[in-house]
Amino acid sequence: MTRLNTLLTSAALFAALGVTGAMAEVTVLGWPGGPEEAGLRKAADAYNATATDADKVKLIFFNRDGFFDKLAADLAAGSTDFDVNLLATYALGRYAPFMDPITLPDASKATFPEKVLATMQYDGKQYGIPTDLSLHFMYYRKDLVEKLLADADWKAKYGEISEKYLGKKLEPKDPDAWTWEDWMAMALFFTKSINSDSPTRYGTVLQMKNLLFNMMVWQSTARAQGGDWMNDKGEITVDSPAYRTALDIYKKLYDEGTSPKDSTTYEFAEANAAFGAGQAATMLQWNAAFGDLDNKDKTPAVAGKIGTVAPPAGPEGRFTHIHGLGLGINKASKNKEGAVKFLNWLGTPDAMVIYAKAGGSPALSDAVVAKVSTERPDLVKLGQYAGSYGFVMHGGTAAKALQVYELQAKEFTAYWSGGKSLDEALAAAKTGMADLLKP
Amino acid sequence: MPRTSRFEGRLLIAPLTAFLIALLGFPLVLDIIYSISHVGFENIRAPELTGFSNYAKAIADPEFWAAAWFSLRFGLIVAVIQVVAGLGLAVFLAPLFAKRPWLIALLMLPMMVAPALVGLMYRLILHEFVGAVPYYLLEWYGDFPAFLGRDWAFTTLVTVETLQWTPFALLILHSSYAAVSPDIREAASLDGARGRRLFLNIDLPLMLPAIGITFFLRFIDSFRVFDNLYTLVGPGAGGSTTSMSIYIYQAFFKVGDIGLAVAASMLLLVASFMVLWVINGLTARKAPL
């Protein structure tokens, strides 16, 4: 009898806990284990401090490993375990059928630049509030570039090398004025095997591993030449002269030895190791790398000597790939009203200031970023670059956008490593993309 | 057999049978259904039956065959090297092992490391800016190969796999070598057999079953290589280091074509079953001898 009572009491307790969990709280599934989680926790605490019991937010987190696949399976299964869930620009099309579009509150239009809001749009509809943004900086060694700009002998050598390898005599320029050709000349000049006076072994470090994220890093090169995944008619244009030029820029730099031999296996960490060792003069890399590279304890060889600018300009202008993380509403949610309230609050300047100060990386409008610029100076450039140079490829939020990146990674790395000709790689990419992006 | 005993026998074996059905039967049935369906993460609970198109797609895919060839080549080369090296070490180190058996435990250490970690470890060791190997090669010779590049990746992978798993071959072959009766060796010695002749005519024939088993175990393990390969080089530039396991993983998780991934794994299952069936047949035929 005692055991029966214990069981009944335990059951009642579990039931009570379950009821508490389901008491119209807003459950938010966030991106785990990084500054995004820290930011969201602070933001949720601030929101809960004033929200009614029915609107309070409860946070849950999966493991990062396989996060998007698990999320896709949960959304497709109509899970009601969360009301608000994480979104990523490149997976928008995959999740859109299982999410509710939102109406942006006026406050969010003042909080974020238009291009940043667009990272959460699919098929003309807004699916989320953008919380974090990733884009690319051109990292360079300030000390070396300054010397090059001031030293007559180095300048003369720079002209000789650019003439020999690029067919035209170039003058060194300030990094903020670089074209892709200037960057190539810089990479050639600072390569020891080409210029024995170079203080670095390599002029740059390219991320050429067969990995979808490396395509995101590289594709700013293609966009600056005028490249896009498809035209307005929906035809795949990946075999355009712009793509050929952009692919050849990497191919030439790799073949001339301006980047480490193993670059075809390099991704974020390996590239940072090369640049952080002080053996690469430039690097096109994610904005997230700056903190560690400029930290004297972690990378003493280069900390304090790093400059960052937006990626170089091409004939069509200057561009950086951007993608965002954000939060949107699960179509199967049982508390959409509470979810909308939370998202409306999250899009306000006050909420984003809390989020940014706690570690998040939102791209904010000038007026809002001014409120955090002392604590987070990196966010100033983030917002500026996203607003001025950010782009998303035509089709970059499609349901199979991730597969497109995977396909490009396989085909383009085949070209760079000598496994396929340019024509073969582009033809395969075009055929595959046509299949993946067909309406 | 009395009826009651038969009933008791069936009753006793029932839990094991249920266990096998639940653990092997259910996934197999599910795999068969997925392999003949159009299924992705979006409709994983409601796959659409499409017949054998996934099998046709896999068979028509040159990358499927490239992955199969990679795995076969990798498995065979690695298994041969490990058996030869393991056999050599077992024979040459036998006197040392007899005096200091604890040395065997020391040599087994590489097997204790998870393959994924081994991959990560070599990724660091071979990295130009943080790894010891390129550093010293650069110091001594002024150059070093791109160990993980397209031209060298296969050789590097074979070396890494060999360094980690040769101790396994050594362990089995050492046991087998130690099990050869000293009486037989002594009798052969009295007949004048020495050194290489003794080894080739006495030891080797007696060790052949163990060598065969070691070879197949190492071949199977290397054929399905995934962890260390994935962490070391992944699918490689242009898919140049895509093994069967990586092909299936890519199709499943990266491309989201679950039907194709499962169909490819079913084809692999059939091929594996056929190989095992042949081996089983050969063993059964030799048993009466």
Side-chain angles (χ1 to χ4, degrees):
Chain A
M1 196 62 195
T2 313
R3 190 177 292 172
L4 182 64
N5 281 339
T6 312
L7 279 172
L8 286 172
T9 313
S10 308
L13 268 172
F14 277 117
L17 284 173
V19 169
T20 312
M23 263 179 59
E25 279 182 333
V26 179
T27 306
V28 177
L29 172 62
W31 185 234
E36 299 87 355
E37 180 179 333
L40 191 58
R41 285 190 184 281
K42 284 280 182 195
D45 287 346
Y47 180 74
N48 286 342
T50 56
T52 62
D53 281 350
D55 291 333
K56 283 199 191 306
V57 161
K58 185 176 81 177
L59 302 178
I60 56 171
F61 298 93
F62 293 162
N63 191 299
R64 276 196 186 201
D65 194 25
F67 182 95
F68 290 109
D69 293 331
K70 283 182 274 189
L71 177 58
D74 270 6
L75 286 171
S79 171
T80 55
D81 288 345
F82 48 86
D83 304 293
V84 172
N85 60 272
L86 186 86
L87 270 177
T89 305
Y90 45 77
L92 267 177
R94 192 176 179 191
Y95 301 142
F98 314 108
M99 300 191 67
D100 273 353
I102 61 169
T103 306
L104 279 174
D106 289 341
S108 67
K109 290 172 187 165
T111 311
F112 306 103
E114 194 60 39
K115 283 188 179 174
V116 176
L117 288 170
T119 61
M120 291 287 116
Q121 288 166 6
Y122 176 69
D123 212 11
K125 294 172 189 158
Q126 188 79 29
Y127 278 90
I129 297 288
T131 52
D132 296 270
L133 196 85
S134 291
L135 48 71
H136 302 125
F137 290 158
M138 176 59 79
Y139 292 77
Y140 66 95
R141 287 280 300 278
K142 273 192 297 192
D143 54 332
L144 303 182
V145 173
E146 278 165 13
K147 185 176 177 193
L148 172 61
L149 290 171
D151 190 306
D153 291 341
W154 275 28
K155 277 185 184 177
K157 187 87 178 233
Y158 182 92
E160 283 171 30
I161 288 172
S162 59
E163 190 164 28
K164 181 177 176 188
Y165 288 90
L166 301 174
K168 60 173 84 168
K169 197 167 186 172
L170 296 172
E171 287 275 328
K173 288 183 197 162
D174 180 85
D176 214 18
W178 283 353
T179 62
W180 287 99
E181 209 167 35
D182 291 318
W183 173 59
M184 288 177 80
M186 200 63 66
L188 290 159
F189 177 80
F190 282 115
T191 297
K192 197 90 172 171
S193 60
I194 292 170
N195 172 16
S196 56
D197 294 335
S198 170
T200 54
R201 201 180 298 163
Y202 300 104
T204 191
V205 50
L206 304 171
Q207 296 172 61
M208 301 165 84
K209 185 177 180 177
N210 179 356
L211 183 75
L212 69 100
F213 298 109
N214 287 347
M215 290 301 102
M216 295 177 186
V217 177
W218 165 80
Q219 70 177 2
S220 300
T221 322
R223 190 74 186 87
Q225 314 299 320
D228 205 340
W229 285 7
M230 54 168 89
N231 59 23
D232 292 338
K233 293 177 196 163
E235 295 162 340
I236 303 299
T237 54
V238 78
D239 57 346
S240 63
Y243 264 83
R244 289 174 182 274
T245 305
L247 284 167
D248 276 336
I249 287 175
Y250 264 44
K251 175 80 171 158
K252 183 167 180 66
L253 288 177
Y254 180 62
D255 288 349
E256 297 292 359
T258 69
S259 185
K261 293 175 184 177
D262 275 344
S263 297
T264 51
T265 62
Y266 276 21
E267 52 180 299
F268 184 78
E270 284 84 357
N272 284 347
F275 191 81
Q279 292 299 335
T282 67
M283 171 176 69
L284 187 62
Q285 180 64 291
W286 297 95
N287 57 298
F290 184 80
D292 281 355
L293 288 174
D294 205 39
N295 183 322
K296 282 195 167 58
D297 296 327
K298 291 183 177 171
T299 38
V302 297
K305 301 175 188 169
I306 302 170
T308 56
V309 289
E316 296 298 316
R318 201 170 182 184
F319 295 92
T320 172
H321 161 98
I322 54 171
H323 70 242
L325 296 179
L327 293 170
I329 298 174
N330 176 7
K331 191 178 254 180
S333 160
K334 292 194 171 164
N335 188 8
K336 289 183 186 175
E337 196 182 328
V340 168
K341 278 185 194 169
F342 174 65
L343 290 185
N344 283 350
W345 175 82
L346 193 66
T348 61
D350 289 347
M352 276 296 123
V353 166
I354 296 167
Y355 187 76
K357 283 183 178 174
S361 293
L364 303 166
S365 61
D366 291 346
V368 181
V369 82
K371 297 178 184 175
V372 291
S373 58
T374 312
E375 295 92 337
R376 297 291 306 274
D378 56 313
L379 296 187
V380 178
K381 272 189 181 174
L382 188 74
Q384 282 173 357
Y385 289 178
S388 304
Y389 312 119
F391 77 92
V392 176
M393 287 289 188
H394 192 175
T397 58
K400 294 195 172 172
L402 276 177
Q403 286 95 320
V404 170
Y405 283 119
E406 294 282 359
L407 172 69
Q408 289 184 350
K410 189 178 75 185
E411 297 303 333
F412 296 166
T413 56
Y415 171 57
W416 288 332
S417 65
K420 275 188 179 179
S421 71
L422 182 57
D423 287 337
E424 285 169 339
L426 286 173
K430 187 176 183 178
T431 309
M433 284 174 69
D435 188 40
L436 290 167
L437 295 174
K438 67 187 171 198
Chain B
M1 186 185 280
R3 215 168 161 176
T4 320
S5 301
R6 205 181 301 160
F7 174 73
E8 282 174 358
R10 284 177 183 170
L11 192 68
L12 287 170
I13 209 169
L16 180 65
T17 311
F19 179 78
L20 285 175
I21 288 171
L23 270 161
L24 297 176
F26 175 69
L28 185 64
V29 170
L30 194 66
D31 278 355
I32 291 170
I33 292 170
Y34 279 167
S35 73
I36 53 170
S37 305
H38 172 68
V39 55
F41 283 103
E42 292 78 11
N43 65 339
I44 198 161
R45 293 186 188 187
E48 300 163 35
L49 290 177
T50 54
F52 292 92
S53 59
N54 288 321
Y55 288 96
K57 194 174 170 184
I59 289 168
D61 185 359
E63 284 165 23
F64 172 81
W65 294 108
W69 172 236
F70 180 94
S71 291
L72 186 67
R73 197 162 56 110
F74 184 76
L76 284 173
I77 291 173
V78 164
V80 167
I81 294 174
Q82 288 180 10
V83 166
V84 170
L87 185 63
L89 287 170
V91 173
F92 285 110
L93 297 180
L96 199 60
F97 290 151
K99 284 181 186 167
R100 296 179 178 82
W102 54 269
L103 275 175
I104 296 175
L106 200 67
L107 288 170
M108 293 302 113
L109 282 179
M111 290 198 306
M112 306 296 285
V113 186
L117 289 182
V118 168
L120 284 176
M121 191 178 81
Y122 279 101
R123 200 165 143 187
L124 285 176
I125 289 173
L126 300 174
H127 189 280
E128 183 174 343
F129 301 100
V130 291
V133 175
Y135 176 82
Y136 284 110
L137 287 178
L138 196 66
E139 284 283 308
W140 297 334
Y141 305 107
D143 200 8
F144 56 89
F147 290 105
L148 304 179
R150 193 182 184 100
D151 296 337
W152 275 80
F154 188 81
T155 309
T156 304
L157 287 166
V158 166
T159 308
V160 168
E161 182 82 357
T162 302
L163 288 173
Q164 185 176 19
W165 291 108
T166 297
F168 180 86
L170 167 64
L171 186 67
I172 299 182
L173 297 173
H174 165 69
S175 306
S176 168
Y177 188 68
V180 175
S181 168
D183 295 344
I184 300 175
R185 284 204 188 105
E186 196 180 338
S189 297
L190 287 174
D191 288 339
R194 294 278 184 282
R196 197 173 69 172
R197 197 169 161 206
L198 183 69
F199 175 71
L200 290 176
N201 294 333
I202 303 296
D203 295 331
L204 201 59
L206 289 170
M207 289 175 74
L208 267 183
I211 291 171
I213 287 168
T214 310
F215 176 83
F216 280 111
L217 283 176
R218 290 314 313 141
F219 171 72
I220 290 166
D221 211 24
S222 305
F223 184 88
R224 63 185 176 85
V225 63
F226 179 82
D227 318 45
N228 51 5
L229 195 162
Y230 195 77
T231 51
L232 193 55
V233 286
S240 54
T241 51
T242 303
S243 68
M244 272 308 287
S245 300
I246 287 189
Y247 176 88
I248 292 166
Y249 173 82
Q250 297 267 109
F252 197 106
F253 286 106
K254 302 289 181 184
V255 184
D257 194 342
I258 295 175
L260 173 68
V262 176
S265 67
M266 292 301 291
L267 289 171
L268 188 60
L269 179 74
V270 170
S272 308
F273 183 77
M274 284 167 69
V275 171
L276 288 172
W277 186 66
V278 169
I279 294 168
N280 195 38
L282 289 171
T283 318
R285 220 172 292 159
K286 283 185 178 176
L289 298 172

